[in-house]
Structures are given as structure tokens and as C-alpha cells.
């Protein structure tokens, strides 16, 4: 089956071609200019998607050596995300579907992340756990099949990526702050400063990261009112990162033990974090669990994961939509919470 897929939920414009579960192309254009504004500006994001999407699509088809009429279906992420950004991708995908008379499969972006764990690793067996950690989401999913997954825990306030970005801003680093903190933390001492690990012993799998930025703000006000000396930045970054990573690792692997899964995956932008990857790998090793960290092209926002899931849905007959009337939904997460 040949699928052309689109992703435009936030600040990445992506088009991909999937043929029989294999990624033939996965073109991603990231909107780096948001750094200037300290965060994603929704209106500018949707305009940039509009400018990029045709070119990205041509490149994806060209790299895959496929003409649009040769595809069997179109897939597109339609929720959750920035409404204007989602509209660009979904209308473009509808246009292609209409022009070439192809079925169209609307995909939930978070579900795309969840199953991206299998994209490069067909050996991953259900049930598995996936910690989806990005700038907008932090949830832990127990995944039992392509149709069944439940949320076992979620953030009650900020996403982990937001915690990285907001504390980085307080430290005077550029947006997005996660990669900056990661880089500086490599030269720092994670135990130098003690920041709160909120809810680490709450006995459930929920997270809370909003207290961390407040703690960092008070800490800076008390200790470095005139700015953080450059020499102190690595220790501060390492200590902030440790506070985030410790909670993510503890909850993820406590859940892995409780639900007796053989595989743990991480996905979303924050899964690029080097300490999170190292700690997850070593904790998984201690527990005899397989750890799956997809390469970055499939961790951050990408159309390949959207096309991959669409193919599964089409093959199992769950999705045979030729209907072009679906709408985007900025907030939908289609998974029930585990009781
Ligand atoms: O999945 P993503 O590309 O976009 C969405 O939010 O959906 O994730 C972006 C987030 C940002 O908050 C960014 O700071 C964070 O991922 N991030 C990182 C790293 N690389 C990206 N956070 C920590 N360490 C990194 N190396
Ligand atoms: Zn995402």
C-alpha cells in the first residue's frame, strides 16, 4: 500500500511517502524563526506551513519516486495542535485526495507519536509503554494493539518540553531551550543545585512541571539577581535537567513494572534529550526490558508516523473514510484513562 502523508500540527511542515510500512521519504521543514519571538507564534506558523507545503510534498514524492496518482491513500494529522497550522495541512491533504480521487485518513497526532515506536522497530511487541514527551504533551500510554491504548498518566500542568523551554528562558537561553539545556548540562554537575521533583512519590503516573520553573525563578532571584555567571550555567542546566529526567524515568519504569511490559519507548521532541535516553536505556537494562528510542526524524513531529498509522488503520479495515468533511480539533486526545 502506498500512502502520502502530511503533518503540520505545530511548527514542522512534513510530507512523507510510506510504501508497505516502509518509509520511502520523510521531508521535514522546521520553522526555526520562532526563536526570535521566544516561542511559536501561531499566525506565523500557519503562514509558513502554507508557503512550505507544496514544495515539501513535491520533494517527498520525488524522493520516493512516486507520482501522486500512484498513491493508494492520503493521510493527515488533524488533532491536536495549533488550529491554523492543522487547517493548512488538512485542507492541502483534502485537495490532493479530491484531485486524485483517493481515500483520506485523518490521524490523531499523539497516536502517530505512540505508534512511531514500531515504525523502525517492527520487533516491538504489544503491550508496550510509550512516554510521549514534547513541547505540548507529556503522557504515558499503555499500548495494547493498534486499536487499544490507555493513558496511565499525564502532566497536570506544563509539558516536560515546556519546563525545559521556560526555565531556559529564565536562564537567558534561546528558544527552544531544551536542546540548549541538554548541551550545557553535559559539562555540568546534576547534583550541584537541588530543584523539586514534583509528584515523584505521588504513587500514580501523573506529572507536574509548573513548580519547577517557579522554583528556578525564585532561586535565580535569590542567588543571581544580576544574571547567571557563565561558569555556573552548566551546573544549573544539569540540575534543572536532572529534576525533569528523574521524574520521567521513575514514573515510566514504575509503570513498566506494574503493567509488566517487555518494551518501553519514548517519543516527542524531548526524547532527543541525551540524559533521558541514557537513563532510560540503563534503567531498562537493569529491569530486563527492551528500550526503544526512535531516531530523531521519527521522534519529533514528522509525517512518516502519520502515514505509518494510516496504513495500519486502512489494513485492519477500521478506517475507510472517503469523506472529506472532517474538521480539525486543536485539543483532542483520543485515549481513555486507565482506571
Ligand atoms: O515534538 P516537538 O518537536 O514539538 C511539539 O511540541 O509537538 O517537541 C519540541 C520540544 C521543545 O520543548 C524542545 O525544547 C524539546 O522538544 N526538545 C528537547 C530537546 N530537543 C528538543 N528537550 C530537551 N532536550 C533536548 N535535546
Ligand atoms: Zn508532536
Amino acid at each position: 500500500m502506498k500512502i502520502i502523508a502530511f503533518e503540520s500540527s505545530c511548527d514542522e511542515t512534513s510530507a512523507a511517502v510510506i510504501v508497505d510500512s516502509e518509509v520511502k521519504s520523510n521531508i521535514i521543514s522546521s520553522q526555526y524563526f520562532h526563536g526570535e519571538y521566544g516561542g511559536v507564534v501561531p499566525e506565523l506558523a500557519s503562514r509558513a506551513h502554507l508557503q512550505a507545503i507544496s514544495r515539501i510534498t513535491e520533494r517527498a514524492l520525488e524522493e520516493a519516486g512516486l507520482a501522486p496518482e500512484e498513491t493508494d491513500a492520503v493521510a493527515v494529522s488533524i488533532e491536536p495542535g495549533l488550529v491554523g497550522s492543522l487547517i493548512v495541512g488538512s485542507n492541502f491533504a483534502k485537495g490532493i485526495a479530491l484531485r486524485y480521487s483517493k481515500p483520506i485518513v485523518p490521524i490523531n497526532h499523539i497516536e502517530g507519536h505512540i505508534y512511531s515506536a514500531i515504525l523502525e522497530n517492527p520487533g516491538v511487541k504489544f503491550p508496550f509503554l510509550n512516554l510521549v514527551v514534547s513541547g505540548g504533551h507529556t503522557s504515558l500510554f499503555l499500548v495494547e494493539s493498534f486499536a487499544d491504548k490507555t493513558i496511565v498518566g499525564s502532566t497536570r500542568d506544563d509539558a516536560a518540553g515546556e519546563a525545559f523551554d521556560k526555565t531556559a528562558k529564565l536562564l537567558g537561553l534561546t528558544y527552544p531551550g531544551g536542546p540548549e539545556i541538554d548541551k550545557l548540562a553535559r559539562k555540568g554537575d546534576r547534583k550541584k543545585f537541588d530543584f523539586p521533583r514534583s509528584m515523584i512519590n505521588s504513587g500514580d503516573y501523573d506529572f507536574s512541571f509548573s513548580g519547577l520553573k517557579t522554583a528556578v525563578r525564585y532561586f535565580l532571584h535569590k542567588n543571581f539577581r544580576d544574571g547567571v555567571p557563565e561558569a555556573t550555567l552548566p551546573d544549573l542546566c544539569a540540575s534543572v535537567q536532572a529534576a525533569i529526567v528523574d521524574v520521567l524515568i521513575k514514573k515510566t519504569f514504575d509503570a513498566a513494572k506494574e503493567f509488566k511490559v517487555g518494551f518501553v519507548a519514548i517519543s516527542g521532541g524531548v526524547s532527543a534529550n541525551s540524559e533521558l535516553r541514557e537513563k532510560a536505556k540503563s534503567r531498562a537494562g537493569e529491569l530486563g526490558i527492551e528500550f526503544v528510542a526512535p531516531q530523531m526524524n521519527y521522534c519529533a513531529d514528522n509525517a512518516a508516523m502519520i502515514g505509518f498509522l494510516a496504513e495500519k488503520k486502512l489494513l485492519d479495515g477500521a478506517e475507510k473514510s472517503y469523506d472529506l468533511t472532517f474538521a480539525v480539533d486543536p485539543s483532542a486526545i483520543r485515549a481513555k484513562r486507565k482506571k
Side-chain angles (χ1 to χ4, degrees), residues 7 9 109-110 113 132 134 137 268-269 299-301 305:
E7 157 61 40
S9 61
H109 173 83
I110 302 296
H113 276 306
V132 179
S134 70
H137 305 278
C299 281
D301 291 349
M305 66 182 189

Side-chain angles (χ1 to χ4, degrees), residues 149-285:
K149 73 255 163 234
T150 40
I151 299 180
V152 298
S154 256
T155 183
R156 295 193 179 172
D157 39 60
D158 290 352
E162 234 176 316
F164 271 108
D165 296 340
K166 286 177 177 171
T167 48
K169 198 169 178 180
L170 294 172
L171 297 175
L173 305 174
T174 50
Y175 177 87
E180 299 288 309
I181 289 189
D182 190 355
K183 209 170 6 167
L184 284 160
R186 282 175 212 163
K187 295 177 275 178
D189 174 3
R190 75 191 308 277
K191 293 197 179 126
K192 183 77 181 181
F193 305 107
D194 188 23
F195 292 117
R197 273 93 170 134
S198 300
M199 294 183 70
I200 197 161
N201 292 316
S202 61
D204 57 20
Y205 304 116
D206 283 344
F207 305 92
S208 168
F209 292 109
S210 67
L212 177 61
K213 71 171 185 264
T214 313
V216 171
R217 178 177 288 126
Y218 283 133
F219 173 88
L220 294 176
H221 187 73
K222 189 168 159 216
N223 298 288
F224 300 109
R225 217 171 279 204
D226 301 323
V228 181
E230 213 163 295
T232 313
L233 258 182
D235 288 341
L236 258 174
C237 288
S239 303
V240 164
Q241 181 169 284
I244 299 171
V245 168
D246 284 353
V247 184
L248 293 174
I249 293 290
K250 165 94 166 58
K251 300 241 169 177
T252 302
F253 286 94
D254 280 358
K257 281 194 282 180
E258 180 180 341
F259 299 112
K260 300 186 175 51
V261 294
F263 294 84
V264 166
I266 49 175
S267 55
V270 179
S271 68
N273 185 265
S274 47
E275 188 181 353
L276 179 62
R277 282 179 172 243
E278 276 158 31
K279 288 244 169 343
K281 191 170 166 213
S282 78
R283 187 77 185 110

Side-chain angles (χ1 to χ4, degrees), residues 94 130 219 238 300:
K94 283 179 184 183
N130 196 338
F219 173 88

Side-chain angles (χ1 to χ4, degrees), residues 7-12 31 34 40 45-46 49 81-82 85-86 301:
E7 157 61 40
S8 69
S9 61
C10 188
D11 57 348
E12 259 89 33
Q31 304 172 359
H34 294 292
V40 177
S46 45
H49 284 305
L82 299 171
S85 294
L86 289 166
D301 291 349

